[in-house]
C-alpha cells in the first residue's frame, strides 16, 4: 500500500501539522496506521492514545450494576432514506437529513433527544471476531452501530462530536443463525454492489425497526467514538439481544474491499480492539427474570460498605 509508505515517511518529519488535514482518510485497522498509532498521527486524535474513557470495551457481566431507574429506550419508527457507502473503513449508511425521515432516539440513559446520522457495520474474518464490544471476553461476528447526535443542543454532528453529551450510539451485536434477518438482506444485497472503496448507492425507505431486536433491556456506559478522533462524548447503549445474521450474509460482506482494484485488501476485521474500562460504571436494566432469548447473562454482585449496613 502506497499510503502506508508515504505515511511512514511523513511521521519522521518534525512539523507535519499542516498536512494532517489530508490524513483523515489514511488511518487503517492494521499495520503501521492501525489503532495503536491513531493517537500519534494527528494532534486532534490524541484521545485515541491518552483517553481514559475509550470505546469499545469488554463488558464484564459480573461488574454490571443493575439500575432500576433506567428507562426504556425509544427509537422512532420511520423508514430511512440515505446513502449506503463503502468508505474503505466500513460500510455505512449516511442518512439524508433533508428528506424528513429523521430517526430520533430518546429515553434509556439519555437525557436529550438524539438524531441518527449514520449506521455503521463492523465485521471480522472469522466468526469469533468482528464486533467491537465483547461480552465476558467473547466477540461476536459483527456489530451494527446506530450513531446519533444530540440534536437538542447542537446544530450539527461536527459540533456535537466534541461537545458534552454530544453523541449516543446504539450497538447491536450480531449472532449467527442459519436463517439471518431477512430485512438485513436488503442491506447485504445493496452492499454487494459496493466492492470498492468510494462506491455508494441510494437506499430508500429502509426499515430500521425490522433489523432491531425487540428488547427493552440494554447495557450502558460512557465512552468514545471508536474511529479517529476517538472523542469521549459518546453514551453507549448495547442492546441485550443479538440481531441474527446468516453465514451467507456474512460471507457477502466479507468480500468487500477497502481499495480500488483487484487484489486490494478486504474490509473485514474493521474493529478497534477493546480498550481499558478504567473502572467505568457499566449499568444495565436487564431484569432479574431473564429474557428467554437473552444472550448477555445477568450476574449482579453487590458489595455493601460495612458502614452503610444497619447495625
Ligand atoms: C417515543 O418518542 C415519540 C416521538 O418523540 C413519542 O411520541 C412517544 O411518546 C415516545 N414513546 C415513549 C414510550 O416514550
Ligand atoms: C440523498 O441525498 C443525496 C445528496 O444530498 C442525493 O444525491 C440522493 O439521491 C439522496 N438519496 C436518497 C435515498 O434520498
Ligand atoms: C426527530 O427530531 C428532529 C429534530 O428535532 C425533528 O425535526 C423530527 O421531526 C423528529 N422526528 C420524529 C419522527 O419525531
Ligand atoms: C456546526 O455548528 C457550529 C456551531 O453551531 C457552526 O459554527 C459550524 O459552522 C457548523 N458546521 C457545519 C459543518 O455545518
Amino acid at each position: 500500500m502506497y499510503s502506508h509508505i508515504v505515511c511512514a515517511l511523513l511521521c519522521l518529519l518534525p512539523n507535519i501539522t499542516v498536512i494532517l488535514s489530508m490524513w483523515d482518510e489514511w488511518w487503517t485497522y492494521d499495520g503501521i496506521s492501525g489503532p495503536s498509532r491513531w493517537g500519534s498521527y494527528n494532534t486532534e486524535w490524541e484521545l485515541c492514545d491518552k483517553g481514559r474513557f475509550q470505546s469499545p470495551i469488554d463488558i464484564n457481566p459480573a461488574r454490571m450494576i443493575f439500575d432500576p431507574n433506567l428507562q426504556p429506550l425509544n427509537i422512532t419508527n420511520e423508514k430511512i432514506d440515505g446513502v449506503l457507502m463503502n468508505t474503505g473503513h466500513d460500510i455505512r449508511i449516511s442518512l439524508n437529513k433533508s428528506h424528513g425521515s429523521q430517526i430520533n432516539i430518546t429515553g434509556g440513559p439519555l437525557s436529550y433527544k438524539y438524531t441518527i446520522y449514520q449506521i455503521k457495520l463492523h465485521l471480522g474474518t472469522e466468526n469469533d471476531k468482528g464486533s467491537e464490544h465483547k461480552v465476558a471476553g467473547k466477540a461476536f461476528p459483527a456489530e451494527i452501530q446506530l450513531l446519533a447526535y444530540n440534536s437538542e443542543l447542537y446544530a450539527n454532528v461536527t459540533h456535537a462530536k466534541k461537545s458534552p453529551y454530544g453523541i449516543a450510539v446504539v450497538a447491536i451485536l450480531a449472532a449467527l443463525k442459519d436463517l439471518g434477518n431477512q430485512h438485513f438482506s436488503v442491506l447485504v444485497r445493496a452492499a454487494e454492489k459496493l466492492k470498492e472503496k468510494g462506491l455508494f448507492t441510494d437506499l430508500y425507505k429502509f426499515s430500521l425497526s425490522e433489523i432491531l431486536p425487540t428488547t427493552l433491556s440494554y447495557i450502558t456506559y460512557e465512552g468514545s467514538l471508536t474511529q479517529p478522533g476517538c472523542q469521549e462524548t459518546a453514551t453507549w447503549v448495547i442492546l441485550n439481544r443479538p440481531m441474527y445474521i446468516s453465514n451467507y450474509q456474512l460471507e457477502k460482506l466479507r468480500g468487500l474491499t477497502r481499495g480500488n482494484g483487484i487484489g486490494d485488501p478486504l474490509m473485514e476485521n474493521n474493529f478497534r480492539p477493546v480498550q481499558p474500562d478504567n473502572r467505568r460504571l457499566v449499568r444495565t436494566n436487564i431484569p432479574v427474570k431473564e429474557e428467554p432469548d437473552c444472550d448477555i447473562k445477568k450476574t449482579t454482585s453487590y458489595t455493601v460498605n460495612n458502614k452503610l449496613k444497619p447495625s
Side-chain angles (χ1 to χ4, degrees), residues 32-234:
I32 191 165
S33 42
S36 62
R37 308 292 296 276
W38 293 350
S40 45
Y41 276 169
N42 181 336
T43 45
E44 287 182 16
W45 300 351
E46 262 177 4
L47 280 172
C48 301
D49 265 356
K50 297 185 177 160
R52 301 262 161 82
F53 292 81
Q54 290 291 294
S55 295
I57 58 169
D58 180 7
I59 293 156
N60 176 353
R63 280 237 305 107
M64 294 194 302
I65 305 290
F66 176 69
D67 183 349
N69 297 311
L70 286 171
Q71 300 299 304
L73 193 66
N74 186 3
I75 303 179
T76 52
N77 187 16
E78 306 291 310
K79 290 193 165 48
I80 294 174
D81 283 342
V83 177
L84 182 72
M85 182 166 184
N86 176 342
T87 65
H89 299 307
D90 49 49
I91 188 97
R92 66 173 66 163
I93 304 172
S94 294
L95 274 69
N96 265 18
K97 208 176 168 182
S98 50
H99 282 248
S101 67
Q102 285 177 328
I103 312 221
N104 300 319
I105 307 177
T106 50
L110 309 171
S111 303
Y112 298 97
K113 176 164 78 179
Y114 291 76
T115 301
I116 299 183
Y117 63 94
Q118 234 164 42
I119 299 169
K120 275 184 200 166
L121 193 65
H122 298 272
L123 66 150
T125 34
E126 281 109 40
N127 296 345
D128 61 354
K129 58 182 176 180
S131 66
E132 298 213 289
H133 287 87
K134 292 183 174 179
V135 179
K138 179 179 172 292
F140 290 69
E143 178 170 335
I144 297 162
Q145 297 173 350
L146 317 180
L147 288 97
Y149 77 101
N150 183 331
S151 53
E152 264 187 72
L153 292 186
Y154 307 116
N156 55 51
V157 178
T158 319
H159 190 194
K161 273 186 184 174
K162 50 188 175 203
S163 308
Y165 301 103
I167 302 292
V169 193
V170 174
I172 302 124
L173 300 165
L176 275 177
K177 209 176 201 180
D178 288 346
L179 194 61
N181 180 301
Q182 285 308 290
H183 203 67
F184 187 68
S185 292
V186 174
L187 268 194
V188 175
R189 276 196 298 273
E192 273 185 82
K193 293 185 280 184
L194 313 176
K195 283 246 183 320
E196 297 167 20
K197 173 181 173 177
L199 295 180
F200 56 89
T201 183
D202 280 346
L203 202 64
Y204 292 101
K205 305 275 170 260
F206 181 72
S207 173
L208 191 57
S209 59
E210 293 190 50
I211 65 164
L212 285 176
T214 49
T215 178
L216 294 176
S217 57
Y218 55 82
I219 294 157
T220 181
Y221 76 96
E222 297 298 320
S224 75
L225 297 174
T226 60
Q227 294 179 335
C230 307
Q231 294 93 334
E232 295 184 330
T233 50

Side-chain angles (χ1 to χ4, degrees), residues 240 286-294 296-299:
N240 183 38
I286 301 177
V288 178
K289 186 173 171 296
E290 274 173 19
E291 296 177 51
D293 192 20
C294 147
I296 301 161
K297 298 269 186 289
K298 173 182 146 47
T299 352

Side-chain angles (χ1 to χ4, degrees), residues 30 35 39 72 79 87 103 116 139 228 242 245 248 250 260 278:
D30 57 9
K79 290 193 165 48
T87 65
I103 312 221
I116 299 183
I245 182 171
Y248 177 84
L250 206 49
N260 311 88
N278 294 319

